[in-house]
């Protein structure tokens, strides 16, 4: 049984290392993890619970654990009406987990798009991303990658 947990940890560490490199900050694995969790939790709390189950079905175990951490059922999804509200929700999630302000040169929108692109290249299908995007306010939809190249593994 321990081998399974070691495998999940190895996959998770490998993904965080790759995402940190993709973001241009390979030495900032802690901040990368906080950003990834903040984006996943903000999306999770905004979409319908049934859609979250579809997302979960495509994620590997280590991302399922991140996605579901501290998840609480809500009658109504988290509400924000524009990209500023989405960015604020991501920043609030980051702050909850110890990150007040990234000192990276990329904008929050760019960082969110980079995380979503990474997830789409490795785990989430284009159709799944479109389903998530349809539950977002109109000006947030451009943050979602349209047709990513696939390197799923």
């Amino acid at each position: 049984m321990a081998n399974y947990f070691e495998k999940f940890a190895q996959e998770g560490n490998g993904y965080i290392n790759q995402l940190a490199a993709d973001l241009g900050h390979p030495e900032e694995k802690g901040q990368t993890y906080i950003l990834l969790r903040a984006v996943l939790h903000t999306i999770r709390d905004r979409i319908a619970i049934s859609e979250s189950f579809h997302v979960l079905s495509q994620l590997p175990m280590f991302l399922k654990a991140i996605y579901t951490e501290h998840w609480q059922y809500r009658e109504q999804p988290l509400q924000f009406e524009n990209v500023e509200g989405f960015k604020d929700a991501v920043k609030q999630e980051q702050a909850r987990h110890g990150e007040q302000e990234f000192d990276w040169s990329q904008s929050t929108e760019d960082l969110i798009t980079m995380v979503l692109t990474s997830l789409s290249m490795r785990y989430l299908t284009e159709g799944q991303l479109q389903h998530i995007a349809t539950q977002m306010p109109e000006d947030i939809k451009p943050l979602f990658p349209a047709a990513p190249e696939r390197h799923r593994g």
Side-chain angles (χ1 to χ4, degrees):
M1 188 68 127
N3 289 338
Y4 290 113
F5 292 110
E6 290 170 13
K7 178 183 173 223
F8 301 148
Q10 184 177 21
E11 289 173 357
N13 286 326
Y15 179 69
I16 293 295
N17 291 341
Q18 184 61 54
L19 180 58
D22 293 348
L23 293 170
H25 299 277
E27 70 289 349
E28 298 291 347
K29 293 170 187 70
Q31 283 183 313
T32 299
Y33 174 76
I34 290 170
L35 175 64
L36 171 65
R37 178 171 47 190
V39 171
L40 286 172
H41 286 193
T42 301
I43 289 170
R44 173 199 74 192
D45 292 345
R46 177 66 166 91
I47 63 177
I49 196 164
S50 59
E51 194 63 46
S52 278
F53 287 122
H54 291 290
V55 171
L56 281 168
S57 73
Q58 293 183 8
L59 297 177
M61 188 59 72
F62 72 92
L63 282 176
K64 287 177 183 180
I66 295 169
Y67 190 88
T68 59
E69 181 183 22
H70 302 294
W71 192 10
Q72 295 179 356
Y73 175 75
R74 297 173 185 242
E75 288 291 327
Q76 295 294 323
L78 181 66
Q79 295 299 309
F80 44 81
E81 298 307 319
N82 54 37
V83 74
E84 289 303 315
F86 186 65
K87 287 179 0 186
D88 288 345
V90 169
K91 288 177 183 180
Q92 287 172 11
E93 276 293 319
Q94 290 172 297
R96 264 194 281 275
H97 299 291
E99 183 58 53
Q100 299 304 318
E101 193 65 44
F102 279 54
D103 56 357
W104 299 350
S105 61
Q106 297 102 322
S107 69
T108 302
E109 290 103 305
D110 288 345
L111 292 171
I112 291 168
T113 297
M114 294 168 81
V115 168
L116 292 171
T117 299
S118 173
L119 290 168
S120 73
M121 289 174 58
R122 291 168 180 85
Y123 307 113
L124 298 176
T125 64
E126 181 180 356
Q128 184 59 63
L129 286 168
Q130 288 174 351
H131 284 277
I132 295 168
T134 62
Q135 295 185 38
M136 297 290 166
E138 205 55 44
D139 69 337
I140 296 172
K141 292 176 183 179
L143 298 179
F144 286 79
E149 292 182 32
R150 287 277 178 236
H151 302 291
R152 296 178 77 157

